[in-house]
């Protein structure tokens, strides 16, 4: 059985080697070692250890992607081959309909998309195109991200591309520590369904909305393409690696960070604030009222 000391050592080694802000790793190392030395982790089972270490990590460095996760089913310690990992994720995306839970035409010819996952473009492209085809003739659109917990930057790029008229809109940049390089994300030139560039869009958010879901909301907000309605999102802007450090424990290490070309920053730790703040349960009704008013003014 892996000891608490071994779990902490393995987690700190991975954080030190990979965290996107290397200048912060010394403070993280000092904080966790101090907690270990004072006996804070004695007598805990692995699940409790993960919860307390995560709290301590985020006290030392408030990054919501920096965590220890406990899993009931033991996992192999050997690094999973990339093709196996891709196949497993592809199966997960397919079983969840590439993140698209519902597509509807609501009263007043307003389209509605309920997205729970932002699937990678190479997997979700046909499903995304099908959804956009179904709402292509609506007068306005609601994108419901209240239960969207993340996804792929390339998937966000594809979704965003449908809401602009061409391929000349700079959406986001991501800096990667491992390669010391920055990748730019622009709207795409070719899409498999009609664009939706000129009609009102409302995006629903909540304190569950996270990571890739937040990027979709943030991009559309700062580019003036959508009105955000609901609650402030959770605040996770860093692409993250998941590394198994014991059969039941995974450390998640942010290895990259988003840099928005308009704001020069991102939503890490603060979340994405709505334009129209209402309780998340009331967001759809508020968005529909806003959109009906907007459509009436056109």
């Amino acid at each position: 059985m892996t000891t608490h000391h071994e779990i902490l050592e393995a987690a700190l080694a991975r954080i030190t080697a990979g965290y996107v802000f290397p200048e912060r790793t010394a403070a993280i190392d000092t904080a966790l070692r101090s907690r270990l030395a004072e006996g804070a982790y004695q007598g805990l089972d692995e699940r409790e250890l993960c919860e307390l270490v995560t709290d301590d990590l985020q006290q030392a460095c408030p990054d919501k992607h920096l965590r220890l996760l406990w899993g009931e089913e033991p996992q192999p310690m050997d690094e999973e081959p990339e093709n196996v990992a891709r196949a497993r994720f592809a199966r997960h995306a397919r079983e969840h309909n590439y993140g698209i839970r519902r597509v509807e035409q609501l009263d007043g010819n307003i389209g509605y998309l309920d997205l729970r996952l932002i699937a990678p473009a190479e997997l979700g492209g046909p499903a995304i195109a099908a959804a956009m085809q179904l709402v292509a003739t609506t007068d306005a659109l609601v994108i419901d991200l209240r239960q969207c917990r993340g996804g792929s930057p390339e998937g966000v790029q594809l979704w965003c591309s449908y809401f602009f008229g061409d391929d000349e809109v700079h959406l986001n940049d991501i800096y990667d520590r491992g390669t010391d390089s920055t990748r730019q994300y622009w709207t795409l030139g070719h899409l498999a369904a009609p664009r939706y560039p000129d009609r009102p869009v409302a995006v629903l958010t909540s304190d569950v909305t996270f990571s890739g879901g937040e990027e979709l909301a943030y991009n559309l907000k700062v580019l003036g393409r959508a009105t955000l309605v609901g609650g402030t999102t959770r605040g996770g802007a860093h692409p993250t690696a998941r590394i198994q450090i014991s059969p039941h424990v995974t450390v998640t290490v942010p290895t990259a960070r988003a840099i928005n070309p308009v704001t020069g920053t991102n939503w890490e730790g603060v979340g994405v604030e709505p334009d129209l703040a209402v309780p998340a349960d009331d967001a759809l009704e508020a968005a529909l009222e806003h959109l009906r008013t907007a459509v009436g003014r056109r």
Side-chain angles (χ1 to χ4, degrees):
M1 179 177 176
T2 310
T3 68
H4 288 7
H5 182 268
E6 290 170 335
I7 289 172
L8 263 292
E9 288 290 344
L12 287 171
R14 293 294 192 166
I15 291 168
T16 299
Y19 187 43
V20 67
F21 295 107
E23 68 275 11
R24 300 181 187 175
T25 59
I28 294 170
D29 188 276
T30 298
L32 291 193
R33 291 188 188 282
S34 294
R35 294 284 281 158
L36 182 65
E38 70 188 30
Y41 307 132
Q42 288 182 358
L44 302 179
D45 62 29
E46 282 191 349
R47 183 200 294 265
E48 294 167 333
L49 176 70
C50 289
E51 292 173 352
L52 185 53
V53 169
T54 295
D55 289 344
D56 291 340
L57 278 170
Q58 295 183 8
Q59 284 290 324
C61 181
D63 185 325
K64 289 184 170 63
H65 276 113
L66 195 60
R67 311 179 67 86
L68 286 193
L69 304 176
W70 185 85
E72 185 170 355
E73 292 296 324
Q75 301 297 316
M77 292 297 296
D78 294 335
E79 187 172 348
E80 188 175 44
E82 186 175 347
N83 64 323
V84 174
R86 283 200 305 267
R88 177 171 50 80
F89 183 77
R91 183 170 60 253
H92 171 80
R94 183 174 62 251
E95 290 171 351
H96 290 82
N97 200 36
Y98 305 102
I100 303 167
R101 179 62 64 91
R102 290 165 60 195
V103 183
E104 292 186 45
Q105 180 193 36
L106 304 180
D107 290 346
N109 197 30
I110 295 175
Y112 175 80
L113 298 172
D114 182 357
L115 307 183
R116 306 295 176 92
L117 167 72
I118 308 298
E122 70 272 17
L123 297 176
I128 293 169
M132 291 305 300
Q133 186 70 60
L134 288 172
V135 300
T137 60
T138 56
D139 294 325
L141 181 65
V142 175
I143 305 173
D144 191 343
L145 300 177
R146 288 176 294 178
Q147 297 296 320
C148 185
R149 290 171 167 83
S152 157
E154 289 76 19
V156 173
Q157 178 187 33
L158 178 57
W159 275 112
C160 285
S161 296
Y162 279 100
F163 299 102
F164 297 93
D166 54 38
D167 58 354
E168 297 181 358
V169 179
H170 191 179
L171 298 168
N172 191 32
D173 294 338
I174 294 182
Y175 169 78
D176 180 76
R177 176 185 171 182
T179 60
D180 191 28
S181 64
T182 300
R183 176 174 176 178
Q184 295 186 345
Y185 290 84
W186 294 68
T187 49
L188 301 171
H190 172 74
L191 298 174
R195 294 179 187 267
Y196 202 97
D198 54 356
R199 283 157 283 173
V201 176
V203 174
L204 311 187
T205 57
S206 75
D207 59 2
V208 174
T209 312
F210 192 55
S211 194
E214 292 179 283
E215 186 196 336
L216 178 54
Y218 191 85
N219 290 353
L220 295 177
K221 176 183 177 177
V222 300
L223 290 166
R225 187 59 194 91
T227 300
L228 270 56
V229 183
T232 300
T233 63
R234 280 179 62 193
H238 297 156
T240 300
R242 298 170 62 97
I243 306 148
Q244 202 72 32
I245 56 175
S246 87
H248 292 278
V249 179
T250 302
V251 62
T252 63
V253 181
T255 57
R257 60 188 174 92
I259 308 168
N260 184 272
V262 175
T263 65
T265 183
N266 59 46
W267 57 95
E268 179 62 42
V270 296
V272 185
E273 293 186 1
D275 300 297
L276 178 57
V278 299
D281 288 346
D282 299 332
L284 178 57
E285 182 179 349
L288 291 174
E289 182 178 350
H290 166 78
L291 291 174
R292 286 169 184 144
T293 299
V295 169
R297 291 173 178 165
R298 293 177 68 203

